[in-house]
C-alpha cells in the first residue's frame, strides 16, 4: 500500500531529498579514485574505468527499475532499499581493495552501488514533482543540484582520508556514512493525496504546462515525444560524462596541472554540475524547457571545439565549468519536461 500524508510534509521531504542527493552525487568525484585504485593492483586505466562505467550503467538501470517499482509501492521502500544497496556497494568495494580484487571492486561500487544509487536517485525526483506542481522546475533542480555538488564533498573527504588511511578505509567509511544518510532521508518520503494541489494554485500556472491527465509509462512509451525527450537527455549526458569520467587525468596531461590541483578542480566542478541543475531548471520555468535545451546544445558545440584547442589552465577550467553547467542542466530540466508532457505521475 502506498502511504500519503498532508501538505505540511513537502518542505521536509525537499530538504531530505537534497541531503540524500549530496551523498549520491559522490559518483561524480570518481576520477580522484582512478590513480589510487590503479596502484592497488597495478591495473591499467582501461580496466579501472570499468568501475565507473558499470556504476553509470547500473545507476541508469536502477532509475528505470526503481521508477517502475515505486509506482506500485511508493517512494519510501524503494529509496530505503537504494540507501542500503548504495552503502553496501562501497563496503564490498572496500573489501575488494583490501583483497586486491578488481572484480569485487567493480561488483560493489559499480553493480550493487550503482543500482542502489539509481533506486535512491529517482525517488526524490518523482516524489517532488508530485508535491510541487507549482514549482516543478525549481524544486527538482534544487534536489538534483545536490547530486552535482556531492562530488565536491566527496573529493574533500578523499583528499584528507585516502593519503592517511588508504583506499580500502576510504571506501569503507564512505559506504557507512552514505548508507546511513541516504536511508534516513528515505524514511521521510510519502506521496500527497490523490488530486492534491497547493493552496491557491491551479494547473498551468508557474510556467508549467497544463496536462489533461497523467499518462501511464506504457502510454508514454508509444509517443514520439517520449523518445525525443529520451534522445535529448541521452545526447546531453554523453557529452558531459566524457569529461566527468576523465577530468583529473585530462587536466594533468593536457594543461599540466598538478595532481593536487586536478583533484581540487574535480571537487570545484561539482558546484557547476549542481548549480547548472538549479540554474537551468529555474530558467526553464520562465522561457520553457525546449529553449533551454537548444541553448545548452549550442553552447556545448562551441565549448567542445574550444576544448580541443586550449592548453591554458584558466581557459581549460572555464570551458570545463560551462560543460558541467550544461550537463547538470539536462538533469535539472528533464523531470519537469517529462511532467509537462505526460503529467506528474
Amino acid at each position: 500500500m502506498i502511504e500519503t500524508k498532508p501538505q505540511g510534509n513537502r518542505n521536509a521531504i525537499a530538504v531530505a531529498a537534497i541531503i540524500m542527493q549530496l551523498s549520491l552525487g559522490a559518483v561524480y568525484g570518481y576520477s580522484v579514485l582512478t590513480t589510487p585504485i590503479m596502484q592497488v593492483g597495478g591495473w591499467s586505466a582501461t580496466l579501472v574505468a570499468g568501475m565507473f562505467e558499470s556504476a553509470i550503467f547500473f545507476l541508469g538501470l536502477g532509475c528505470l527499475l526503481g521508477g517502475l517499482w515505486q509506482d506500485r509501492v511508493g517512494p519510501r521502500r524503494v529509496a530505503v532499499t537504494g540507501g542500503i544497496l548504495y552503502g553496501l556497494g562501497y563496503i564490498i568495494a572496500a573489501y575488494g581493495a583490501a583483497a586486491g580484487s578488481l572484480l569485487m571492486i567493480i561488483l560493489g561500487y559499480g553493480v550493487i552501488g550503482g543500482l542502489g544509487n539509481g533506486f535512491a536517485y529517482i525517488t526524490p525526483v518523482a516524489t517532488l514533482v508530485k508535491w510541487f506542481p507549482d514549482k516543478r522546475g525549481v524544486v527538482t533542480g534544487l534536489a538534483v543540484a545536490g547530486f552535482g555538488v556531492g562530488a565536491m564533498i566527496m573529493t574533500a573527504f578523499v583528499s584528507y582520508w585516502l593519503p592517511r588511511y588508504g583506499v580500502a578505509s576510504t571506501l569503507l567509511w564512505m559506504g557507512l556514512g552514505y548508507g546511513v544518510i541516504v536511508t534516513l532521508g528515505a524514511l521521510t518520503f510519502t506521496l500527497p493525496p490523490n488530486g492534491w494541489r497547493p493552496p491557491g494554485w491551479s494547473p498551468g500556472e508557474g510556467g508549467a504546462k497544463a496536462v489533461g491527465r497523467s499518462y501511464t509509462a506504457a502510454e508514454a512509451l508509444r509517443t514520439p515525444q517520449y523518445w525525443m525527450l529520451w534522445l535529448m537527455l541521452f545526447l546531453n549526458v554523453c557529452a558531459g560524462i566524457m569529461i566527468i569520467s576523465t577530468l583529473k587525468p585530462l587536466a594533468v596531461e593536457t594543461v599540466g596541472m598538478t595532481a593536487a590541483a586536478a583533484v581540487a578542480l574535480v571537487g570545484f566542478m561539482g558546484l557547476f554540475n549542481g548549480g547548472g541543475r538549479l540554474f537551468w531548471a529555474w530558467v526553464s520555468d520562465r522561457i520553457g524547457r525546449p529553449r533551454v535545451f537548444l541553448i545548452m546544445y549550442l553552447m556545448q558545440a562551441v565549448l567542445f571545439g574550444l576544448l580541443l584547442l586550449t592548453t591554458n589552465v584558466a581557459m581549460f577550467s572555464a570551458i570545463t565549468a560551462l560543460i558541467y553547467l550544461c550537463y547538470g542542466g539536462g538533469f535539472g530540466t528533464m523531470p519537469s519536461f517529462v511532467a509537462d508532457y505526460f503529467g506528474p505521475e
Side-chain angles (χ1 to χ4, degrees), residues 34 56 69 118 230:
T34 304
I56 294 300
W69 187 19
W230 187 94

Side-chain angles (χ1 to χ4, degrees), residues 66-86:
L68 295 173
W69 187 19
Q70 76 167 352
D71 286 343
R72 299 197 302 272
V73 302
R76 181 184 298 171
R77 191 181 305 176
V78 179
V80 167
T81 302
I84 293 170
L85 289 176
Y86 183 58

Side-chain angles (χ1 to χ4, degrees), residues 276-313:
R277 294 164 191 248
L278 179 58
F279 171 73
W280 289 115
W282 174 77
V283 171
S284 77
D285 278 344
R286 283 150 181 78
I287 69 171
R289 330 293 181 198
R291 289 191 181 94
V292 161
F293 268 88
L294 178 60
I295 293 169
M296 291 192 301
Y297 287 148
L298 292 174
M299 282 180 61
Q300 289 177 92
V302 174
L303 291 168
F304 275 95
L306 293 174
L307 192 64
L308 293 172
L309 304 175
T310 186
T311 56
N312 178 274
V313 171

